[in-house]
Amino acid sequence: MPRFNSRISRRAFIASAAGVATFAARAAEPLPSLASDVASLLMVGFAGSTPDSPSAIRLARHIRHGHVGSVLFVQDNVGSNRDLEDLVAGFKAARPRLRLAIDHEGGLVQRLIPIHGCRRLPKAFDIPGSMSPSEALDLYTQAGAEFAATGFNINLAPVVDIYAPGNPAIAKFGRAFSSDPNVIAGYARAFVDGFRASRIVCALKHFPGYGNVMEDNHDELPDITKTWSARDLEPYTALLNNGRTDLIMGTHLKLTSLDPLLPTTLSRKVTTGLLREKLRFAGVIMTDDIDMAALAKNMDRKAAFIAALAAGNDLIMAKNVTDHDPNFPLHALKWVEEAIAGGILSREAIAASARRVEALPVAI
């Protein structure tokens, strides 16, 4: 499909997403309660970086009909500032309280750059050696205002993993602040507080701590059993004790000392037992992308989705590009209905998760 060549065409995407005259009528119609709740639990990605992307058009339609509550943007979705503005505007027109998430850590993991009005941030590992926590707070406060101006309201950052040399997913790109949990907590606090000043919700990641491993879960399931310890939890406990945590992202790891059978994101022992009950985290627990190879090599999307909810996750991220399912949000609702009927999930737990997600203090 050709690119749009006029502002009229771009306005058409926004108008189509909003449903123009029909949107107000549709918004006034109450959705079935379970359908509305499941929509709140979904963070869905799309293919393409322009408003004429068939995947973006389909996703906007799902959003407009109340099937999706959060959208994931990745590097491939971020093109010119003009295209990005129109995508964001179109999605938001489809659902006024839509949550829009993207990685904005700094360094190589920063999707919004100067052409989008966002300064380039140093990688996390360089921050403690170049500025104090108060100086970092100033930097991240300015960055948060720029981020908010783009229309996004969830930053999938900061990384609070402990720096371990050789780790291909974290250390290789300088994504961790330090090898010292106290230093990590101090600078992560500055990061979260800076973005919070513009009502941006930040996601601490990657629970329960990536550890000192040589595998990347974009390619396989890393086994952190031999290197993980309670020390990996110290940045989380420090930030939780200061009341600065609304959202925590778990990632796909093998930690047999806590669960010999299931990856950490799909483990109730880790997600509910450790994070929700032992650490007493009352906010939103979200997954990393359930389509990542760490899970996808061993199970299909349906199995991963239901297992993630059964573990106690509130918000399920699915990039939905590889093995693209154009009706994934509708299938997700069907899967939840079946799981509730089969006793795998409870209606009460789904409702509780939806309420937590909807309570996130995001900028609208």
Side-chain angles (χ1 to χ4, degrees):
M1 183 178 290
R3 289 173 60 90
F4 285 133
N5 294 314
S6 72
R7 293 303 296 181
I8 294 175
S9 297
R10 293 170 184 274
R11 290 194 200 102
F13 169 75
I14 298 172
S16 173
V20 195
T22 64
F23 174 73
R26 291 184 185 279
E29 297 171 5
L31 288 169
S33 183
L34 180 61
S36 179
D37 284 352
V38 171
S40 294
L41 309 185
L42 296 178
M43 179 179 284
V44 183
F46 63 101
S49 60
T50 61
D52 58 335
S53 157
S55 180
I57 293 169
R58 280 193 296 270
L59 180 55
R61 187 178 303 122
H62 281 299
I63 296 166
R64 184 177 74 241
H65 289 294
H67 303 151
V68 174
S70 303
V71 174
L72 168 69
F73 278 69
V74 297
Q75 182 69 67
D76 291 344
N77 302 133
V78 182
S80 72
N81 190 47
R82 187 176 174 183
D83 285 330
L84 184 67
E85 286 178 344
D86 288 329
L87 280 168
V88 169
F91 288 140
K92 282 194 164 184
R95 182 175 177 134
R97 294 188 60 81
L98 186 70
R99 293 168 290 274
L100 294 171
I102 196 165
D103 290 303
H104 200 73
E105 299 173 14
L108 291 178
V109 187
Q110 179 176 328
R111 313 309 182 201
L112 304 175
I113 56 176
I115 64 168
H116 309 116
C118 295
R119 74 192 64 205
R120 289 191 177 275
L121 298 172
K123 59 188 177 182
F125 191 71
D126 289 344
I127 294 287
S130 62
M131 61 184 72
S132 67
S134 63
E135 290 171 331
L137 174 61
D138 290 340
L139 172 68
Y140 290 131
T141 299
Q142 295 168 31
E146 295 166 354
F147 184 93
T150 67
F152 286 88
N153 47 28
I154 294 179
N155 185 0
L156 301 175
V159 168
V160 294
D161 296 314
I162 293 175
Y163 180 87
N167 183 302
I170 306 300
K172 179 179 178 180
F173 303 107
R175 299 173 67 193
F177 285 108
S178 174
S179 58
D180 183 335
N182 292 321
V183 173
I184 295 169
Y187 283 91
R189 185 178 300 118
F191 189 109
V192 171
D193 286 352
F195 278 84
R196 179 178 281 175
S198 294
R199 296 189 62 209
I200 303 303
V201 169
C202 291
L204 305 185
K205 61 185 185 183
H206 304 81
F207 191 83
Y210 214 104
N212 185 10
V213 294
M214 298 304 294
E215 297 84 29
D216 186 333
N217 59 10
H218 290 84
D219 304 314
E220 57 188 302
L221 182 66
D223 188 341
I224 63 171
T225 304
K226 293 182 179 179
T227 58
W228 186 89
S229 72
R231 187 170 180 266
D232 289 273
L233 299 176
E234 290 180 14
Y236 292 97
T237 56
L239 292 161
L240 285 171
N241 289 338
N242 281 277
R244 285 179 166 86
T245 307
D246 298 304
L247 180 61
I248 291 179
M249 177 196 291
T251 200
H252 319 306
L253 303 163
K254 183 178 181 180
L255 183 54
T256 58
S257 57
L258 294 184
D259 193 323
L261 300 177
L262 294 170
T264 49
T265 33
L266 309 185
S267 169
R268 190 163 183 84
K269 295 177 181 178
V270 174
T271 303
T272 296
L274 177 57
L275 181 52
R276 184 71 77 201
E277 296 175 353
K278 186 173 182 179
L279 298 186
R280 298 187 179 185
F281 176 54
V284 172
I285 303 173
M286 70 176 293
T287 70
D288 211 334
D289 179 16
I290 61 170
D291 289 342
M292 289 169 67
L295 298 185
K297 282 185 175 181
N298 298 297
M299 63 181 66
D300 61 23
R301 187 178 290 134
K302 175 183 179 180
F305 178 75
I306 295 300
L309 289 175
N313 290 283
D314 303 306
L315 186 57
I316 312 300
M317 181 197 295
K319 187 177 176 183
N320 193 29
V321 172
T322 303
D323 297 327
H324 175 64
D325 177 359
N327 289 311
F328 164 63
L330 298 178
H331 291 147
L333 173 59
K334 180 182 178 182
W335 299 339
V336 170
E337 290 172 337
E338 294 172 347
I340 290 174
I344 299 170
L345 300 176
S346 77
R347 179 69 187 89
E348 294 75 18
I350 294 297
S353 287
R355 301 294 83 75
R356 281 190 287 267
V357 173
E358 291 161 5
L360 282 173
V362 296
I364 300 301

